[in-house]
Amino acid sequence: MSHVRVNPDHRGPARPSRRAVTVSAVLGAVLAASGTDVATAGPASAGVRLRLPAPTGPHPVGHTTWYLVDRSRRDPWDGTVPVRELMATVFYPARSVRRHPPAPQLSPATAAVFGALGPYQHPGLPPAGVDWAATMTHAHRDAPAVPVRRPVLLYSPGGGDPRGFGAGLAQDLASHGFVVVTVDHPGDALVVEFPGTTDFRGDVIRTTAFREDPRSNPATFATMIATRIADLRFVLDQVEVLAAGGNPDAGGRALPPGLARAVDQRRIGVYGHSAGGTTAAQTAYDDRRAGAAIDLEGYLDHPGEQPGEPGPLFPVAEYGVNRPLLLWGTDGFPDRAGMERAWRVVLAHPGGWTTRRELHDAAHWAFTDFAAFAPQLQQAGLMTAAARTDLVGAIEPARSVPAVRTGVREFFVRHLGA
C-alpha cells in the first residue's frame, strides 16, 4: 500500500519527482511554444469579471472539497505517481449559510493557469482581459448540510475541462435537493490544484498530460475513458464511506456538519459532458450503484485506427443498459454524423431505457458554464460572434441555461426521486 503524506503548507516535498514542475515553468513552456509573450497573459486579477446565474431552488447551497486517494491504482498518465489522486467538490442543500462565505468557481492558482492555457484548449477565449479568479459560485464554504437523505449525483467534465466549469448546473441541482459531486480527472484535466504537495508530487498544481486530442489516438482515448470510469467508481466508494459516517478526505479535512446524513447511497445518478458523458453512460453499464445517467454529447464508440474509420462500440452501446439513460446533444456539434452511429445503436435496444434530446441553436459547450460566459465575453468585446457560436452556439443563456438545468433535474427527479 502506498503512503500519501500531504504537506499542506505547500513548501515542497521531501523527495521531488522528475515530473514536478512549477506553475511558472508550465506556463512559460506552453506560451513560449505558442509564440506568446508571458507578459501578455497578465495577472489573474486584471480584467472582466464573469457571473454565474443564481440557483433557482428553495435551498441555500453548501460547498466543500475532497482530496481523494485511491491506493489500489497507479496514475496512468505519470509513472512517478504510485497512487491515483483525485479532487472533487461537493454541492449540497445547506441548513444555514450564515458566516460561510461564497466559494470561488476557480481558486486563484487554478484561474491563473486556466487563463494562460484555456485559449489553447478553447480557441476563441481571450488570452487576457478576464479575471477568471473573480467568478463566485452561489455555494457557501463548509456550510452545515440539511441532515436529510438526498439523491447523489456524480459529474464528470469534458476532456480537459476543470470541474469548476460545471459549477452552475451543480449548484442549481443542489438548490433543488440533490447532493452533487463534481470530479476532476488529473492528467486529463487542463489544470488540477491539490491541497498540498506529497513525497511524489512536488507541486500543488498539475496540468494536462495531453498534447493532442485524445480521440485522435485510440489507445489514449481508451485509457482516458477507462481511467475516468475507475475514478467515478472510486468516488462512489467514497460516498459509501461518507454515508457510513466516515471521512473520505485523504488529508483528514473536517466534513461540514450533517453532510454524512445528507447522502442516500441507494439513489445514485451520474452525468457528464463530452468525454464525461461517455464516462457517465459506461459507468451506468458497469456499476449497478448508478441508477440513472445522462450523456451530454459524449461518444459511445472508440475512434477507429484510421481517420474516418469506425471504431468498436462501448459495451453500453453494443449491449444496451437496463437503467434510464438520456443522450442529449446539440444541433451545432461538428461531428454529429460520427456520434450518431453509436447513439442509434443504443437507442435501438428494446426496453425503452434510453431516450434522447437535442438542444437547438447550440454548440458543444452549451452544457457547461461557458453557456453563460461566452455571451458576457462577447458583450465585453473579448470574444467574436463567430467564436461564441463555435463554443456554445447562437442560443441565448436565458434559453440554454434554464433548458439544461430543468432537463437534467427533471430526469433525475423522475428516476431517483427528490
Side-chain angles (χ1 to χ4, degrees):
M1 178 179 294
S2 301
H3 176 65
V4 177
R5 176 176 57 82
V6 179
N7 177 19
D9 63 9
H10 298 185
R11 287 181 299 202
R15 186 178 66 254
S17 77
R18 294 175 314 214
R19 291 286 300 277
V21 289
T22 64
V23 174
S24 60
V26 171
L27 298 185
V30 173
L31 293 172
S34 68
T36 304
D37 191 330
V38 175
T40 65
S45 61
V48 170
R49 299 186 171 202
L50 303 174
R51 301 175 305 281
L52 280 172
T56 58
H59 300 284
V61 179
H63 172 291
T64 195
T65 57
W66 288 347
Y67 167 58
L68 306 175
V69 178
D70 183 353
R71 293 172 173 82
S72 70
R73 291 186 290 155
R74 297 186 68 87
D75 190 275
W77 308 117
D78 185 343
T80 69
V81 179
V83 296
R84 179 62 174 163
E85 299 178 288
L86 302 173
M87 290 300 300
T89 296
V90 187
F91 297 85
Y92 53 90
R95 188 173 74 242
S96 169
V97 296
R98 186 182 178 190
R99 297 180 181 174
H100 293 270
Q105 182 189 38
L106 303 177
S107 70
T110 300
V113 177
F114 180 81
L117 303 188
Y120 304 105
Q121 180 190 7
H122 297 295
L125 288 183
V130 183
D131 184 355
W132 292 104
T135 302
M136 304 301 292
T137 68
H138 299 267
H140 298 258
R141 292 173 172 166
D142 297 318
V146 177
V148 175
R149 298 291 181 188
R150 307 282 185 176
V152 179
L153 306 177
L154 271 58
Y155 171 68
S156 178
D161 281 342
R163 71 189 190 278
F165 288 106
L169 177 55
Q171 67 183 9
D172 191 68
L173 289 165
S175 77
H176 285 276
F178 292 90
V179 175
V180 185
V181 185
T182 64
V183 182
D184 265 338
H185 303 283
D188 176 336
L190 189 68
V191 52
V192 178
E193 182 178 3
F194 295 102
T197 59
T198 69
D199 58 356
F200 52 78
R201 177 178 42 75
D203 202 327
V204 296
I205 290 289
R206 182 172 174 184
T207 54
T208 182
F210 298 156
R211 296 297 179 263
E212 60 182 355
D213 179 357
R215 197 159 171 86
S216 68
N217 184 315
T220 300
F221 186 77
T223 299
M224 174 190 188
I225 301 302
T227 300
R228 284 166 163 260
I229 293 168
D231 289 347
L232 287 196
R233 298 186 72 175
F234 179 72
V235 174
L236 287 176
D237 294 342
Q238 304 317 297
V239 170
E240 293 180 337
V241 168
L242 176 66
N247 185 351
D249 192 272
R253 187 174 182 272
L255 297 172
L259 186 60
R261 290 184 288 162
V263 297
D264 186 346
Q265 67 189 63
R266 300 165 302 174
R267 294 187 289 165
I268 299 287
V270 291
Y271 70 104
H273 173 242
S274 195
T278 309
T279 303
Q282 188 57 42
T283 298
Y285 179 89
D286 290 344
D287 197 316
R288 294 203 60 83
R289 291 176 294 183
I294 300 178
D295 172 358
L296 300 171
E297 208 156 63
Y299 289 95
L300 294 180
D301 59 358
H302 293 267
E305 291 297 328
Q306 301 297 326
E309 179 183 279
L313 299 171
F314 279 96
V316 66
E318 184 172 4
Y319 303 111
V321 66
N322 62 354
R323 273 149 287 163
L325 170 63
L326 172 62
L327 308 179
W328 199 348
T330 67
D331 59 358
F333 186 60
D335 189 27
R336 291 181 73 196
M339 181 170 289
E340 186 70 20
R341 169 181 169 263
W343 280 28
R344 281 200 308 266
V345 173
V346 71
L347 285 161
H349 288 294
W353 292 105
T354 304
T355 55
R356 73 177 298 171
R357 296 184 64 168
E358 187 168 280
L359 191 63
H360 296 285
D361 301 318
H364 192 52
W365 278 274
F367 294 114
T368 73
D369 291 335
F370 288 114
F373 291 165
Q376 294 176 49
L377 292 170
Q378 183 186 3
Q379 186 176 23
L382 294 173
M383 175 176 272
T384 66
R388 174 249 179 97
T389 301
D390 286 345
L391 190 65
V392 300
I395 190 170
E396 291 296 330
R399 284 181 52 218
S400 62
V401 172
V404 172
R405 286 177 166 187
T406 301
V408 171
R409 180 177 73 249
E410 289 181 347
F411 175 84
F412 284 125
V413 168
R414 184 180 314 120
H415 299 295
L416 300 177

